[in-house]
């Protein structure tokens, strides 16, 4: 490969955009110049514009117990798994540093550009509530620690990414199980946190998403209404740094908590009863019936042109996966090998 | 503008190649030169050696001669030709890339980019076996096969 190191920049780039994401470390290991090339924003831009970009769905998934070794007292072990929904390839990600024996339980994760940010959760060894932040850079295939979440330990919060460089964290509860109104923004590039104005309501176990460029916090419950979700929504306008009154259809849905996703068609989807529903003309409309094998939905995630749905036929059974084309609105089954059929706690999508 | 039936290409070594015009216009650069009327005598290609130029001509010829049909056999034949075409040593591939880039043959460029990408991401099992043999002393390391291969080349 020594001669190839002398390739002009634009030609080398043309070769790199055709290399699969999980081989970027090989490019990086060849020489210093190539190492730098991998981190140029141009590489991801070009992969996108030439149709070479890959969608990666990262799942936090329970490790299947070896048959016959299950005990009731076992703490479930979660790990991070990557599914390439276009090809159906599955692989396990490197362990979180210091968490070789399992991912923090109920940790939150979001994708920010080519980074995966994993926040909070409970230490599976001690059940301590964590405020740690870890970032996995898919370009270098390496973990790095981020600045801790400020404002004390917080769990069951909602979070969402603007897709560019900022993660927003809202609600959840503190160590005394007090539901929180506070909201923080984490700048992944600069590794710093900024406090945002509080929400009007306390929101434990709220859902968060970025929809039409605004940070939405959906539902949740207050300290004195444990587990009784209020159906309401607050919307944060990031440019004006203020909360807006919510209006309309989003707060109409019943039976929270739910998973809301913005499709790449810019429409809002969720799952209601046994249907995928979408907001069209300010009302929820049914899009498609859930396939029988996933009626007990674990997670819904959006990737270019599609939704990916992971679920089981009944509680406790192995996971299945289906993807739905947003135009055709037809389901295609995604093969799930046995070792990747554990329960899925959460998921997010990156485009590399 | 009048087209001659054959075009003369002069390469880096001063050698001349006489090729049919239909073959010569495969590379966009040459097509543009002909359109601009630079092809009265011969087309100078100072960046390309005769070894590479004859390979390029061979490729263009094959692609022109293969009937442009949806016929499976023809497609498969072209595919296997392309496959063999890029089975070259690194030095040749390197020169080919630069020549393709200069001559601007879109199809062939895509093929070669992909070949280099494949070289980066890994080898065929036979090649990996060969590397394992050559690099036996370093192979026990956990680093990927390919990057070891690259590094050992540099030592």
């Amino acid at each position: 490969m020594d001669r190839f190191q002398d390739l002009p920049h634009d030609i080398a780039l043309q070769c790199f955009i055709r290399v699969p994401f999980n081989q970027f470390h090989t490019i990086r290991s060849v020489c210093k110049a190539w190492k730098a090339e991998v981190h140029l924003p141009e590489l991801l831009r070009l992969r996108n514009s030439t149709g070479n970009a890959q969608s990666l769905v990262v799942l936090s998934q329970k490790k299947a117990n070896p048959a016959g070794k299950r005990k009731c007292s076992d703490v479930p072990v979660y790990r991070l798994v990557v599914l390439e929904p276009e090809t159906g390839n599955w692989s396990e990600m490197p362990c979180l540093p210091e968490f070789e024996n399992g991912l923090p339980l109920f940790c939150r994760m979001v994708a920010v550009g080519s980074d995966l940010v994993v926040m909070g959760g409970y230490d599976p060894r001690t059940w301590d509530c964590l405020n740690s932040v870890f970032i996995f850079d898919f370009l270098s295939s390496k973990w790095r620690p981020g600045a801790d979440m400020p404002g004390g330990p917080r769990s069951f919060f909602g979070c969402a990414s603007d897709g560019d460089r900022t993660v927003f964290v809202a609600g959840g509860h503190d160590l005394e199980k007090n539901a929180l109104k506070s909201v923080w923004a984490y700048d992944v590039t600069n590794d710093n946190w900024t406090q945002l104005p509080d929400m009007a309501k306390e929101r434990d176990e709220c859902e968060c998403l970025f929809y039409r460029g605004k940070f939405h916090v959906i539902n949740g419950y207050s300290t004195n209404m444990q587990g009784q979700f209020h159906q309401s929504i607050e919307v944060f306008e990031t440019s004006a740094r203020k909360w807006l009154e919510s209006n309309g259809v989003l707060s109409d849905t019943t039976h929270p908590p739910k998973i809301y996703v913005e499709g790449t068609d810019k429409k809002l989807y969720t799952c209601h009863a046994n249907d995928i529903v979408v907001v069209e003309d300010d009302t929820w409309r049914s899009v498609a019936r859930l396939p029988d094998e996933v009626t007990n939905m674990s997670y819904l995630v959006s990737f270019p042109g599609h939704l990916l749905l992971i679920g089981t036929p009944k509680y406790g059974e192995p996971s299945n996966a289906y993807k739905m084309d947003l135009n055709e609105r037809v389901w295609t089954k995604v093969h799930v090998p046995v070792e990747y059929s554990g329960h899925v706690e959460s998921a997010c999508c990156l485009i590399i | 503008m009048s087209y001659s039936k054959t075009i003369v290409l002069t390469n880096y070594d001063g050698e001349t190649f006489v090729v049919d015009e239909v073959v010569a216009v495969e590379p966009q650069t040459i097509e543009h030169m002909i359109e601009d009327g630079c092809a009265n005598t011969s087309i100078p290609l100072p960046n390309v050696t005769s070894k590479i130029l004859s390979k390029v001509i061979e490729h263009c010829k094959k692609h022109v001669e293969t009937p442009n049909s949806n016929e499976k056999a023809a497609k498969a034949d072209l595919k296997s030709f392309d496959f063999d075409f890029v089975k070259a040593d690194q030095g040749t591939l390197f020169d080919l890339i630069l020549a393709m880039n200069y001559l601007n043959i879109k199809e062939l460029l895509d093929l070669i980019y992909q070949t280099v990408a494949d070289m980066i991401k890994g080898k065929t099992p036979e090649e990996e076996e060969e590397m394992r043999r050559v690099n036996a002393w370093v192979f026990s390391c956990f680093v990927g096969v390919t990057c070891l291969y690259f590094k050992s080349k540099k030592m």
Side-chain angles (χ1 to χ4, degrees):
Chain A
M1 227 57 197
D2 39 357
R3 282 217 67 184
F4 287 128
Q5 291 167 31
D6 303 328
L7 280 177
H9 162 76
D10 51 336
I11 299 181
L13 209 57
Q14 284 293 336
C15 300
F16 296 160
I17 60 173
R18 291 164 167 84
V19 173
F21 81 97
N22 51 8
Q23 293 296 336
F24 282 1
H25 65 277
T26 317
I27 302 179
R28 280 169 44 95
S29 66
V30 172
C31 63
K32 271 190 181 160
W34 282 22
K35 189 171 178 176
E37 295 265 352
V38 169
H39 293 274
L40 293 177
E42 209 178 336
L43 178 70
L44 289 185
R45 261 204 306 273
L46 205 57
R47 279 171 77 88
N48 259 318
S49 62
T50 54
N52 285 295
Q54 294 172 276
S55 308
L56 310 179
V57 174
V58 180
L59 310 164
S60 101
Q61 189 180 51
K62 191 172 155 185
K63 231 179 195 163
N65 278 326
K69 287 202 175 168
R70 192 172 178 159
K71 280 188 234 149
C72 285
S73 59
D74 280 353
V75 175
V77 174
Y78 279 80
R79 41 102 189 243
L80 292 172
V81 160
V82 176
L83 163 65
E84 297 160 55
E86 281 129 5
T87 60
N89 280 348
W90 294 79
S91 50
E92 194 171 331
M93 275 181 62
C95 291
L96 211 63
E98 300 160 42
F99 290 91
E100 284 78 10
N101 297 323
L103 205 60
L105 298 161
F106 309 111
C107 63
R108 301 297 197 232
M109 58 178 194
V110 283
V112 185
S114 52
D115 289 329
L116 174 78
V117 182
V118 176
M119 291 180 294
Y122 292 94
D123 189 325
R125 294 156 294 199
T126 60
W127 287 97
D128 284 337
C129 180
L130 302 166
N131 54 8
S132 52
V133 174
F134 293 97
I135 300 141
F136 187 79
D137 176 358
F138 274 89
L139 301 179
S140 59
S141 297
K142 278 186 187 141
W143 285 103
R144 65 172 191 271
D148 284 348
M149 252 189 309
R154 173 196 298 254
S155 55
F156 291 93
F157 51 89
C159 63
S161 144
D162 65 357
D164 180 25
R165 58 186 283 170
T166 313
V167 180
F168 294 79
V169 166
H173 65 249
D174 64 12
L175 286 179
E176 269 80 51
K177 194 81 172 63
N178 292 311
L180 300 167
K181 292 178 180 179
S182 56
V183 183
W184 289 82
Y186 175 58
D187 182 321
V188 180
T189 312
N190 291 340
D191 190 27
N192 62 20
W193 289 88
T194 323
Q195 185 157 23
L196 302 180
D198 280 358
M199 298 179 286
K201 286 193 160 105
E202 295 173 344
R203 293 176 186 272
D204 199 354
E205 293 192 51
C206 54
E207 275 298 320
C208 293
L209 93 150
F210 248 83
Y211 173 50
R212 296 189 171 163
K214 294 186 180 111
F215 177 56
H216 288 59
V217 188
I218 306 168
N219 301 336
Y221 54 84
S222 59
T223 308
N224 51 15
M225 297 290 280
Q226 288 297 313
Q228 296 186 42
F229 287 85
H230 49 73
Q231 283 161 37
S232 71
I233 173 165
E234 290 183 60
V235 181
F236 189 72
E237 176 90 65
T238 46
S239 50
R241 283 180 63 88
K242 63 178 187 194
W243 291 96
L244 306 174
E245 285 290 311
S246 86
N247 46 349
V249 68
L250 256 179
S251 40
D252 280 358
T253 54
T254 50
H255 305 304
K258 289 203 160 214
I259 295 151
Y260 298 89
V261 296
E262 185 180 40
T264 45
D265 56 1
K266 301 284 166 211
K267 292 180 181 169
L268 186 74
Y269 293 86
T270 189
C271 175
H272 179 66
N274 280 331
D275 289 293
I276 292 291
V277 289
V278 65
V279 178
E280 272 171 0
D281 305 323
D282 274 340
T283 48
W284 289 102
R285 292 177 197 281
S286 173
V287 172
R289 197 112 186 112
L290 297 188
D292 288 344
E293 284 189 313
V294 286
T295 42
N296 179 34
M297 187 187 79
S298 313
Y299 221 84
L300 184 66
V301 61
S302 156
F303 71 96
H306 296 79
L307 295 181
L308 178 82
L309 190 132
I310 308 218
T312 60
K314 279 185 197 139
Y315 178 78
E317 291 186 355
S319 291
N320 296 304
Y322 278 81
K323 56 182 174 184
M324 186 185 79
D325 185 299
L326 294 180
N327 289 324
E328 313 274 325
R329 298 184 167 182
V330 243
W331 296 104
T332 317
K333 192 176 161 99
V334 177
H335 174 66
V336 181
V338 185
E339 64 269 37
Y340 295 110
S341 66
H343 173 254
V344 170
E345 160 81 20
S346 66
C348 61
C349 176
L350 296 94
I351 312 293
I352 304 283
Chain B
M1 197 192 302
S2 69
Y3 280 149
S4 52
K5 275 276 179 200
T6 54
I7 298 285
V8 180
L9 307 174
T10 312
N11 73 350
Y12 165 84
D13 319 303
E15 262 182 77
T16 52
F17 290 74
V18 183
V19 290
D20 288 341
E21 190 187 312
V22 279
V23 174
V25 296
E26 280 276 293
Q28 276 185 25
T29 307
I30 298 183
E31 188 186 10
H32 292 157
M33 284 175 163
I34 295 174
E35 280 171 9
D36 294 346
C38 313
N40 295 336
T41 50
S42 74
I43 294 182
L45 300 170
N47 301 346
V48 189
T49 63
S50 52
K51 180 183 169 194
I52 296 300
L53 187 55
S54 43
K55 250 185 113 63
V56 171
I57 293 172
E58 178 198 347
H59 188 273
C60 295
K61 253 189 185 161
K62 179 73 184 179
H63 276 249
V64 167
E65 282 164 7
T66 307
N68 191 12
S69 70
N70 281 333
E71 207 188 310
K72 255 191 184 167
K75 274 190 168 172
D77 177 44
L78 213 53
K79 207 174 171 184
S80 85
F81 173 83
D82 284 348
F83 183 77
D84 289 337
F85 186 79
V86 292
K87 259 201 221 157
D89 60 90
Q90 282 190 18
T92 310
L93 261 186
F94 181 83
D95 292 340
L96 261 178
I97 288 196
L98 294 183
M100 291 307 127
N101 201 48
Y102 169 65
L103 294 171
N104 200 357
I105 311 177
K106 172 88 177 47
E107 240 179 31
L108 198 46
L109 263 176
D110 282 346
L111 177 67
I112 293 189
Y113 290 151
Q114 189 59 55
T115 308
V116 177
D118 291 345
M119 291 177 78
I120 291 170
K121 78 184 185 204
K123 299 280 179 174
T124 62
E126 297 81 33
E127 285 168 314
E128 275 185 24
E129 188 45 51
E130 172 63 15
M131 266 186 278
R132 214 170 266 131
R133 211 176 47 74
V134 173
N135 300 303
W137 61 278
V138 274
F139 195 76
S140 54
C141 294
F142 61 92
V143 196
V145 179
T146 325
C147 77
L148 276 177
Y149 176 65
F150 297 153
K151 285 183 171 165
S152 68
K153 280 262 163 183
K154 283 166 74 183
M155 277 173 209

